[in-house]
């Protein structure tokens, strides 16, 4: 179903890439309730639309990816409301991480608080040299509530996560790259992210899907078992036959996605 959005934009380009843009540039794309609801709706569309093969997640304007949860809304929260708001953000960001299509975030400018948490829910982060990433919630008397205390340690290790979350101090692109928080830093992050998506989409579509599922199981008690099951499933696919045959015939594979 096509939705009309006020705070985000969702456009599918000719290469089957959905461009999901957080679009409140005057507020540095801060995530208010409406933005979260609209991201949730956009995920419904992205999940259902078989024409969408990958997602490019970005912020509008030239200053920020997303400068955090909307502090004017946060300021109104009481205990039960705060827990509910945290669970809502967690659930929506979890849906992004669990998408069976690759999600690449373009981190251009500020990615703070909920913005850093949104970027961390993507599978891959490509940053511009101007990226400033941090979890400053303690400076507001809070902790990250949209998954940041869980995803940051998984990406950068507990020591760096303690440092970033306890000091609340943001890091710049070079430090984000060396600590593993972003995958790449470049002067044109959007172009680099698109190019990475094109590379991904040249591969066997079923393999890409199963790779997402297998990596998602990393660290869980059934991680290795999941990998073996999915590996076996892939051995039954036409893409596997085509990929291996093409290699032996010294030609490029023509995957059917079956
Ligand atoms: N929530 C609500 N509004 C926000 C926001 C947020 N997280 N981040 C920025 N904005 C708003 C500002 O209030 C300002 O609105 P106004 O023009 O109506 O006053 C507008 O966006 C532009 O921001 P401004 O602070 O003027 O830009 P700047 O370039 O001087 O500073 C930041 C940029 C990112 C350093 C600063 O906006 C900031 O510290 N934002 C909050 C970051 C944060 O703590 N996020 C975590 C929240 S959990």
């Amino acid at each position: 179903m096509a939705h009309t959005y006020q705070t985000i934009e969702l456009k599918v380009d000719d290469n089957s890439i959905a461009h999901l843009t957080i679009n409140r540039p005057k507020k540095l794309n801060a995530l208010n309730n409406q933005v979260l609801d609209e991201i949730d709706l956009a995920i419904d569309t992205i999940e259902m639309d078989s024409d969408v093969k990958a997602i490019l997640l970005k912020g509008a304007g030239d200053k920020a990816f997303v400068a955090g949860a909307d502090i004017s809304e946060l300021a109104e929260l009481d205990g039960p409301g705060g827990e509910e708001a945290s669970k809502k953000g967690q659930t929506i960001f979890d849906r992004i991480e669990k998408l069976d299509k690759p999600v690449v975030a373009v981190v251009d400018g500020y990615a703070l608080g909920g913005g850093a948490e949104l970027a961390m829910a993507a599978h891959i982060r490509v940053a511009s040299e101007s990226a400033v990433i941090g979890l400053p919630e303690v400076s507001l008397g809070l902790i990250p509530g949209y998954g940041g205390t869980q995803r940051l340690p998984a990406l950068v290790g507990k020591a760096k996560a303690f440092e970033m979350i306890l000091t609340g101090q943001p890091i710049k692109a070079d430090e984000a790259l060396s600590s593993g928080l972003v995958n790449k830093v470049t002067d044109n992050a959007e172009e680099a992210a698109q190019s990475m998506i094109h590379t991904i989409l040249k591969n066997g579509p079923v393999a890409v899907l199963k790779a997402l599922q297998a990596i998602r199981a990393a660290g869980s008690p059934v991680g290795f078992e999941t990998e073996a099951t999915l590996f076996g499933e892939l051995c039954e696919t036409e893409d596997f036959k085509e990929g291996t045959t093409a290699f032996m015939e010294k030609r490029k594979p023509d995957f059917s996605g079956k």
Side-chain angles (χ1 to χ4, degrees), residues 26-28 30 63 67-72 74 110 112-114 136-137 139-140:
K26 286 188 184 146
K27 295 287 178 188
L28 305 187
K63 265 184 93 173
D70 192 306
I71 297 171
S72 63
L74 285 184
Y110 294 109
L112 299 173
E137 284 86 348
S139 71
L140 300 167

Side-chain angles (χ1 to χ4, degrees), residues 82-144:
E83 187 171 344
E84 200 183 310
S86 171
K87 285 187 175 154
K88 175 175 171 171
Q90 285 179 0
T91 304
I92 295 169
F93 289 8
D94 210 44
R95 290 191 71 197
I96 294 176
E97 187 169 14
K98 291 207 173 100
L99 277 168
D100 278 338
K101 308 176 188 197
V103 183
V104 181
V106 177
V107 182
D108 199 0
Y110 294 109
L112 299 173
E117 291 172 296
L118 176 61
M120 286 192 282
H123 302 124
I124 295 171
R125 284 152 292 287
V126 178
S128 69
E129 273 144 17
S130 70
V132 175
I133 309 176
L135 290 159
E137 284 86 348
V138 289
S139 71
L140 300 167
L142 283 174
I143 59 169

Side-chain angles (χ1 to χ4, degrees), residues 182-234:
V182 300
N183 298 70
K184 194 182 180 80
V185 176
T186 154
D187 54 5
N188 192 335
E190 182 160 348
E191 199 178 283
Q194 297 220 38
S195 151
M196 206 182 274
I197 291 176
H198 289 311
T199 304
I200 293 170
L201 296 182
K202 279 186 201 148
N203 295 314
V206 196
V208 168
L209 163 69
K210 304 280 183 194
L212 285 168
Q213 294 173 348
I215 296 169
R216 215 149 54 212
S220 92
V222 294
F224 284 91
E225 195 185 322
T226 303
E227 180 185 82
T229 305
L230 296 173
F231 189 91
E233 284 174 19
L234 283 164

Side-chain angles (χ1 to χ4, degrees), residues 44 232 248:
D44 290 340
M248 288 183 288

